[in-house]
Amino acid sequence: MKKEHIDKEELEQALIEANYIPDDNILITLFLSLQLGKPILVEGPPGTGKTELSKSVSRALKRDFFRVQCYEGITFEQMVGEWNYQKQLLHLEMSRLKETKIANNTDTDVFSEKFFIKRPLLQAFINPSPAVMLIDELDKADEEVESFLLQALGEKEITVNDLGTFKLKNDLLVVLTSNSQRMLLDETRDRCLFLYIDYPTLEREIEIVKSLLPEAPHLLVEKVVGFIQKIRKLDLLKKPSIRATVDWIRTLIATGDMEASDESLKRTVQVVLKSEEDRNKVQSTIFKSSK
């Protein structure tokens, strides 16, 4: 299996061109994952871009993208694939009808690939070209599913009962994310490179926003990001995400306030806050102190 050779500078430039601004920690972890062929386990607060990382790598490296969104109760079949029972039954019924009309044996094998619905994990494994596989919010799946993933990634193959074994056919970059709703298995951490993505610094968030909104005036971006950084320091039910910062700036541009007056910020802050309790806390602290 041919690996993609790319140095850190090329990787950084490719990510920037894909509108993703990596810090040194992200860049080094990605580079090592590509060189060593190891999955990346990404943790961090909600809204810091854990999911966006894998999408950006896919765009930057021009790789196909596959995603498994984990949830409580997700099964092997929902990640890998399942038999199309209706198609199998229809095929068996058609076979019986043909046997009745003509004295000729027809194919009654319904355990072949044409009767199997492939889900994202298996599709990523058998994809003919290099791909990125995102397994999002692994902590929501149970330990049995996590153990299966470990086996599949470790052995680089997936076995489906009655169908056979599918070997990994490409240089697959696997990114697993977790919001730490439960402790992942030690084996998962042992087999992965670990990456913690926190909320960005003021300087990096300005860079991120400018890459996504190049038309936004610098002073507007600087002021809004400054307010966001102050808001995140409060004890809130839900801290604003990077996406929320972008939405707030878009809102101010749409209202025509390119200077982001304190009055406009106060009037539109609900764009980035998701509860009345958080809104009241911000109004009584951030905006009160900014007067």
Side-chain angles (χ1 to χ4, degrees):
M1 191 182 303
K2 189 175 181 181
K3 288 214 169 279
E4 186 170 358
H5 293 287
I6 183 171
D7 61 34
K8 281 192 295 183
E9 290 72 22
E10 291 172 331
L11 178 59
E12 181 177 25
Q13 187 57 40
L15 286 167
I16 291 172
E17 289 175 1
N19 293 326
Y20 189 90
I21 310 299
D23 61 19
D24 288 341
N25 193 30
I26 292 172
L27 189 61
I28 290 170
T29 305
L30 275 175
F31 176 73
L32 291 175
S33 176
L34 290 167
Q35 296 303 308
L36 303 177
K38 292 176 72 72
I40 304 174
L41 171 61
V42 188
E43 293 184 344
T48 54
K50 299 188 297 295
T51 299
E52 185 58 32
L53 172 63
S54 56
K55 294 179 179 178
S56 299
V57 173
S58 171
R59 293 195 305 270
L61 301 182
K62 296 179 173 55
R63 291 186 172 204
D64 294 327
F65 179 76
F66 299 89
R67 177 178 184 173
V68 169
Q69 178 62 55
C70 296
Y71 52 87
E72 188 176 345
I74 191 171
T75 64
F76 165 90
E77 289 78 13
Q78 288 159 333
M79 298 175 73
V80 175
E82 56 194 324
W83 294 106
N84 188 331
Y85 296 117
Q86 289 184 325
K87 190 173 180 180
Q88 286 175 315
L89 290 171
L90 180 61
H91 181 78
L92 288 172
E93 185 62 29
M94 293 297 294
S95 297
R96 279 193 285 268
L97 287 173
K98 289 179 181 178
E99 287 176 2
T100 302
K101 292 181 179 180
I102 56 175
N104 188 15
N105 290 330
T106 53
D107 181 21
T108 57
D109 179 17
V110 292
F111 291 102
S112 60
E113 279 196 51
K114 68 179 179 179
F115 297 103
F116 192 75
I117 303 170
K118 298 180 181 72
R119 301 301 185 196
L121 185 62
L122 183 55
Q123 290 174 341
F125 259 64
I126 63 176
N127 198 59
S129 57
V132 174
M133 174 82 238
L134 168 63
I135 301 171
D136 214 6
E137 299 183 307
L138 178 60
D139 52 317
K140 290 185 177 179
D142 60 33
E143 289 189 2
E144 185 179 356
V145 168
E146 186 181 346
S147 295
F148 159 73
L149 278 171
L150 280 176
Q151 183 181 9
L153 296 175
E155 298 179 1
K156 300 188 186 307
E157 62 181 34
I158 296 174
T159 298
V160 178
N161 292 337
D162 298 317
L163 189 57
T165 298
F166 296 85
K167 294 188 178 296
L168 181 63
K169 292 185 177 179
N170 65 78
D171 182 13
L172 184 65
L173 172 63
V174 179
V175 179
L176 307 98
T177 73
S178 169
N179 289 321
S180 302
Q181 287 193 10
R182 69 168 176 86
M183 288 294 291
L184 298 181
L185 298 172
D186 288 341
E187 292 89 338
T188 300
R189 296 186 180 277
D190 287 342
R191 292 192 183 184
C192 296
L193 298 174
F194 180 72
L195 176 62
Y196 187 87
I197 300 182
D198 205 345
Y199 292 108
T201 62
L202 175 71
E203 294 76 15
R204 181 166 173 255
E205 189 160 15
I206 288 173
E207 280 190 78
I208 292 169
V209 173
K210 287 296 291 180
S211 73
L212 297 172
L213 297 174
E215 73 281 5
H218 180 76
L219 291 178
L220 170 64
V221 173
E222 199 172 48
K223 187 168 184 179
V224 172
V225 172
F227 265 86
I228 284 285
Q229 295 273 328
K230 290 179 183 177
I231 289 171
R232 289 197 189 117
K233 291 177 181 177
L234 299 177
D235 182 21
L236 301 178
L237 295 173
K238 188 178 187 310
K239 296 181 188 295
S241 65
I242 299 171
R243 183 183 297 111
T245 306
V246 173
D247 288 343
W248 200 4
I249 292 171
R250 281 178 172 152
T251 300
L252 291 165
I253 292 174
T255 62
D257 187 355
M258 297 297 186
E259 296 182 356
S261 66
D262 288 352
E263 186 58 37
S264 288
L265 290 170
K266 186 176 181 179
R267 190 173 61 251
T268 58
V269 71
Q270 66 265 24
V271 171
V272 301
L273 301 173
K274 306 304 177 182
S275 74
E276 185 64 13
E277 181 181 333
D278 286 350
R279 192 185 72 81
N280 288 334
K281 189 172 290 186
V282 169
Q283 295 282 16
S284 63
T285 54
I286 301 296
F287 289 105
K288 186 177 180 181
S289 63
S290 66
K291 289 181 179 179

